[in-house]
Amino acid sequence: MDEVEVVVAHSERATLRVGDVFLKVDADQARIDVEVEAMSLAPVPTPEVLWHEPPALAIAALPGTTLGRLGGPSTGSPAAWAAAGATIRKLHDAPLPPRPGRAGRSITALVAELDEECEMLVTSGILPADLVTRNRQVAEAALRPWTPAFTHGDLQIAHVFVDGDEVTGIIDWSEAGQGDALYDLATFTLGHEEHLGDVIAGYGIDVDLDVIYAWWSLRSLLAVRWLIEHGFDPFAPGCEVDVLEAWM
């Protein structure tokens, strides 16, 4: 262990890697508590918790590599994506955790947040009005009743590790809780539409694709300004703005 790698760092949280140990420091202790609890309840592979001392959490590295990242190529085979779909289904079928998660916001709260964000994106000049209006229309399909499931809440492909065609673990559970299962599927396939069929095949049941598309738009609309303010680039090729522009 001859160096410390900064995996991600912004004003809310930071993750460091030292050898085979990841150290997470979070300004919100509740997020760390949720993460520890969710990993203990989830019936899927998760990192080993080495120690938990507020405001930090130390976890062991997972074997394998991630399936890729938003804005980059997928490094996983179709079989690996299908295996991830099967693992996600196992999570969604598990007994519900005790509290709502990021994917469990009410329709009323989502509508208010989405409408406010759309207005700010246009008035601040971050995105053109026609792009925001079109994606707000697409997002409407996600705003419907859903049956609660055990959801991860931030199931980016960079959070899923595989070794060959086997899922070895899922990381970053701070947004986990009861929520809309299709939110997880949409988050996982955001920017990688070419693998949506593989994921659904592994998931094992038909899903409403219009809702998946709606969550792609909704999640991207809500993320753009936050990403900019925290030092990320949603305008990078293949990232959130490209997802929004695909509807134009």
Side-chain angles (χ1 to χ4, degrees):
M1 294 187 290
D2 57 356
E3 64 178 21
V4 175
E5 175 191 355
V6 179
V7 179
V8 63
H10 50 75
S11 61
E12 294 181 3
R13 68 191 78 166
T15 301
L16 310 175
R17 179 170 186 167
V18 185
D20 288 332
V21 176
F22 285 86
L23 182 65
K24 304 184 70 171
V25 182
D26 201 311
D28 184 349
Q29 179 58 36
R31 280 195 293 252
I32 293 289
D33 293 340
V34 166
E35 180 157 10
V36 172
E37 179 184 59
M39 288 192 292
S40 72
L41 296 174
V44 299
T46 61
E48 177 189 359
V49 175
L50 301 176
W51 52 265
H52 172 213
E53 187 68 30
L57 168 67
I59 59 176
L62 289 169
T65 59
T66 66
L67 277 169
R69 61 179 178 82
L70 183 62
S74 165
T75 56
S77 67
W81 283 83
T87 300
I88 297 168
R89 174 68 185 281
K90 186 175 182 180
L91 174 67
H92 290 167
D93 285 346
L96 293 175
R99 59 183 60 85
R102 180 68 175 171
R105 288 165 290 173
S106 71
I107 295 174
T108 300
L110 268 175
V111 168
E113 182 181 0
L114 181 60
D115 288 345
E116 180 181 3
E117 194 63 31
C118 287
E119 182 179 358
M120 294 183 70
L121 287 170
V122 174
T123 58
S124 64
I126 294 175
L127 294 176
D130 59 344
L131 180 64
V132 172
T133 298
R134 173 59 179 141
N135 278 276
R136 176 62 181 84
Q137 293 168 345
V138 174
E140 190 68 26
L143 305 173
R144 87 284 176 226
W146 41 266
T147 301
F150 191 152
T151 54
H152 180 279
D154 190 21
L155 199 61
Q156 305 172 43
I157 58 170
H159 292 164
V160 178
F161 284 71
V162 297
D163 186 0
D165 297 335
E166 179 183 354
V167 175
T168 58
I170 301 175
I171 64 171
D172 285 1
W173 291 81
S174 61
E175 307 286 355
Q178 299 178 27
D180 180 0
L182 297 194
Y183 180 92
D184 271 355
L185 290 175
T187 301
F188 186 63
T189 54
L190 183 73
H192 287 280
E193 184 175 0
E194 72 277 11
H195 287 294
L196 178 58
D198 299 324
V199 173
I200 293 174
Y203 195 71
I205 59 173
D206 291 334
V207 302
D208 189 333
L209 294 182
D210 286 339
V211 176
I212 297 288
Y213 303 151
W215 275 123
W216 285 348
S217 287
L218 200 159
R219 180 180 170 91
S220 296
L221 286 169
L222 293 182
V224 167
R225 191 168 57 89
W226 186 95
L227 291 167
I228 293 170
E229 291 175 352
H230 289 79
F232 302 101
D233 184 9
F235 290 88
C239 292
E240 285 81 1
V241 175
D242 275 359
V243 171
L244 297 172
E245 288 181 340
W247 289 106
M248 301 305 289

